[in-house]
Amino acid sequence: MPADLSELKEIFNNVPENPNLKSNNLFSIGTRGFYENPFTEVLSYLLRKNTEYKRRDEMMKILLGDLDDDGFLDSLILNCEVSTQSITSNGKYIDLILYNDTHVLVFENKINHWMANPFGDYEDDIQLKFPLHNKKYVILSYKKETCPENWNYLSIRACFDKIIGAGLHAFDNKWDYFAHDFLVQFSNTRLINMDQSYLDFYEKNFSQIISAHAQLKIFFIDIAEKVREKIEIHRYHYSEDWSPDEHAIRFYPFNNDINVTLIFKSNGTFSVSVYYYDRFHLKNEIHEYIGFSDYRYWSESAICCYTKLPGKEFTGLEHAVEETLLQLKKQKEYYA
């Protein structure tokens, strides 16, 4: 039985603000998310003895406190070298090694992958290169791992949250900001933990939310079918992840990739993008044909793409659909 739309509207108007949503930072903006190698390189810089990060010693004490070996930790804090992506004699790569004259600590970072590493090879190589050293092996991961013998598990989430919670940073230099953003970016507790009001809301309303999501998809398909009733097209494709929090319907007038896309934007407006393929020598003529005053051009791989200028988006769906039909008609005429 379809949910009452007025009831759904009231529910969504009362969604509590999630206090744990993570704000943007230089790692979320300037990198490609949870990549292991950049994670390792930044961590290695923060831990190396000659780092410009002033809170390095305190950070190491918290990060490695669960190893429960103060002598081992104090030795590395006092003096250590850092090596990343070290190649073993068998051509395998060890993520991160901290070492001095007497101690060596080996890190393996498992951010997105399961443990299929040749841990025995790592140990053999470390034994060959550091035969007399006191050795420890650590796996950093988000999920609890069953570690091989001789290896210790450290939770990235728990360790980074402890460091953030310790209030180390005075933010009187750029490295405090840099380290804090790094810790926040990779401490995904702030992405998955919800306070009680958030949990209560979803527990109470999850069935209506699921129903609303299903009805939303029906709505988009209905819009697409109405366009197809107005103009002959080869096919359409609905995308619910066009960009963060935006949906779109691509309409293909021919049996190829040429298309007009109707975009449902996160700010409540509607936009249109138009794609012509393999026509770079005619991009200015096509731009004029589509509408110089309403669209801007950018090249996207092998595509001439034109999208609505800022401020030219539609506040009503009816006008956005009319523009979609107009541009589909123009494409048909252009390629006729």
Side-chain angles (χ1 to χ4, degrees):
M1 177 179 176
D4 181 80
L5 293 182
S6 62
E7 180 184 352
L8 287 172
K9 184 176 181 180
E10 182 179 355
I11 289 171
F12 290 124
N13 284 339
N14 289 292
V15 175
E17 182 178 358
N18 185 352
N20 296 305
L21 289 178
K22 186 173 64 174
S23 61
N24 286 331
N25 60 72
L26 65 92
F27 291 94
S28 63
I29 296 170
T31 69
R32 293 198 289 172
F34 281 44
Y35 271 42
E36 289 182 353
N37 286 354
F39 173 93
T40 301
E41 294 300 330
V42 173
L43 182 61
S44 72
Y45 178 79
L46 296 176
L47 297 182
R48 68 179 68 239
K49 182 60 180 178
N50 60 350
T51 181
E52 295 177 84
Y53 175 49
K54 298 178 181 179
R55 327 294 170 183
R56 175 256 190 187
D57 294 1
E58 296 92 333
M59 178 181 178
M60 285 186 68
K61 289 178 182 178
I62 299 172
L63 178 66
L64 302 174
D66 286 346
L67 293 180
D68 199 25
D69 191 332
D70 292 341
F72 188 97
L73 180 54
D74 289 342
S75 175
L76 290 176
I77 290 176
L78 181 64
N79 179 42
C80 74
E81 301 293 332
V82 174
S83 175
T84 61
Q85 298 302 309
S86 301
I87 304 177
T88 71
S89 56
N90 289 324
K92 306 302 181 182
Y93 290 87
I94 301 175
D95 285 339
L96 173 61
I97 304 173
L98 272 60
Y99 63 95
N100 57 25
D101 292 338
T102 56
H103 295 76
V104 58
L105 177 62
V106 177
F107 285 93
E108 178 62 28
N109 295 328
K110 305 312 300 177
I111 295 178
N112 280 332
H113 302 98
W114 61 289
M115 294 197 303
N117 301 73
F119 294 103
D121 180 55
Y122 296 167
E123 293 180 48
D124 291 343
D125 193 75
I126 293 298
Q127 180 61 34
L128 180 66
K129 294 174 180 175
F130 304 93
L132 302 179
H133 283 57
N134 186 357
K135 307 171 186 64
K136 287 190 183 295
Y137 303 90
V138 166
I139 293 172
L140 281 171
S141 180
Y142 282 109
K143 60 182 180 180
K144 177 65 175 178
E145 303 284 5
T146 302
C147 295
E149 187 178 359
N150 299 326
W151 290 76
N152 301 278
Y153 165 76
L154 291 181
S155 166
I156 296 173
R157 179 183 307 132
C159 290
F160 280 19
D161 276 351
K162 285 181 184 178
I163 299 169
I164 294 170
L168 302 181
H169 302 125
F171 299 105
D172 56 358
N173 66 92
K174 68 179 180 181
W175 296 106
D176 275 10
Y177 289 98
F178 178 85
H180 182 76
D181 272 9
F182 172 71
L183 293 166
V184 169
Q185 172 67 9
F186 289 95
S187 175
N188 69 353
T189 295
R190 284 158 177 74
L191 293 179
I192 64 171
N193 280 359
M194 300 180 183
D195 69 3
Q196 193 60 46
S197 65
Y198 225 70
L199 288 170
D200 290 345
F201 172 81
Y202 281 104
E203 180 182 1
K204 180 180 178 181
N205 299 300
F206 76 90
S207 62
Q208 292 96 324
I209 294 170
I210 292 172
S211 174
H213 185 269
Q215 290 187 57
L216 184 64
K217 186 171 183 178
I218 293 171
F219 162 74
F220 285 120
I221 299 303
D222 185 54
I223 295 300
E225 288 294 336
K226 290 185 183 302
V227 169
R228 181 143 66 178
E229 289 175 4
K230 297 285 186 179
I231 190 169
E232 184 179 353
I233 59 173
H234 182 266
R235 68 189 188 281
Y236 63 78
H237 174 73
Y238 162 61
S239 172
E240 61 182 34
D241 55 357
W242 174 257
S243 66
D245 303 317
E246 294 184 353
H247 296 238
I249 310 171
R250 283 186 184 270
F251 297 94
Y252 299 88
F254 315 113
N255 186 21
N256 54 31
D257 290 328
I258 295 164
N259 71 89
V260 177
T261 302
L262 172 60
I263 304 166
F264 300 74
K265 299 179 69 66
S266 57
N267 63 1
T269 64
F270 309 88
S271 188
V272 175
S273 289
V274 187
Y275 298 85
Y276 284 73
Y277 283 67
D278 302 321
R279 290 291 186 273
F280 293 113
H281 62 294
L282 296 172
K283 64 181 181 182
N284 292 330
E285 289 84 349
I286 295 174
H287 197 172
E288 184 176 8
Y289 181 63
I290 291 172
F292 265 125
S293 61
D294 289 328
Y295 287 84
R296 62 184 176 91
Y297 165 82
W298 82 87
S299 59
E300 182 180 306
S301 185
I303 313 168
C304 289
C305 180
Y306 308 84
T307 193
K308 275 288 183 179
L309 286 163
K312 295 287 187 175
E313 295 94 348
F314 302 96
T315 57
L317 178 58
E318 182 180 355
H319 291 139
V321 170
E322 289 175 356
E323 177 66 14
T324 301
L325 290 167
L326 174 63
Q327 293 300 334
L328 284 168
K329 181 180 177 182
K330 285 188 173 185
Q331 281 188 335
K332 285 176 167 288
E333 292 173 346
Y334 179 85
Y335 285 100

